[in-house]
Amino acid sequence: MGVIIYYCLSGDLPFFYATEEDKFEAIKKCKWEFSSAIWEDVSEEAKDLISKLLVRDPKKRLNCSEILDHEWFSKFS
């Protein structure tokens, strides 16, 4: 869900690297950032939600109920 929201808001993937090896290493380590200028215009609530979804440990990642209750997502329900 985090990758999808990231892509929808920026048009980029969070794990975009020059080589496949670098990309897979970044995915394994869950290494990503809000690096492009597009993120300057994205709300802090949206970035907070993405940050809580793009977490390596699934136990620390938001579940479906928590996503629906998140401040940014609840604006659309």
Side-chain angles (χ1 to χ4, degrees), residues 2-73:
V3 172
I4 293 168
I5 295 172
Y6 188 105
Y7 182 78
C8 288
L9 294 177
S10 70
D12 291 325
L13 294 172
F15 304 104
F16 186 78
Y17 289 84
T19 68
E20 290 293 309
E21 183 178 325
D22 290 343
K23 178 173 36 175
F24 288 121
E25 195 61 33
I27 291 169
K28 287 193 301 188
K29 293 179 180 177
C30 201
K31 182 181 172 189
W32 62 274
E33 57 188 36
F34 297 116
S35 59
S36 69
I38 191 82
W39 292 105
E40 293 173 12
D41 296 326
V42 174
S43 72
E44 291 303 314
E45 293 90 357
K47 291 189 270 190
D48 180 67
L49 176 60
I50 292 167
S51 296
K52 291 177 178 175
L53 292 171
L54 291 178
V55 175
R56 185 169 188 228
D57 184 351
K59 293 177 184 172
K60 295 179 181 176
R61 202 177 303 142
L62 294 183
N63 63 38
C64 292
S65 295
E66 293 168 326
I67 293 169
L68 292 172
D69 290 338
H70 189 274
E71 181 180 5
W72 181 79
F73 195 84

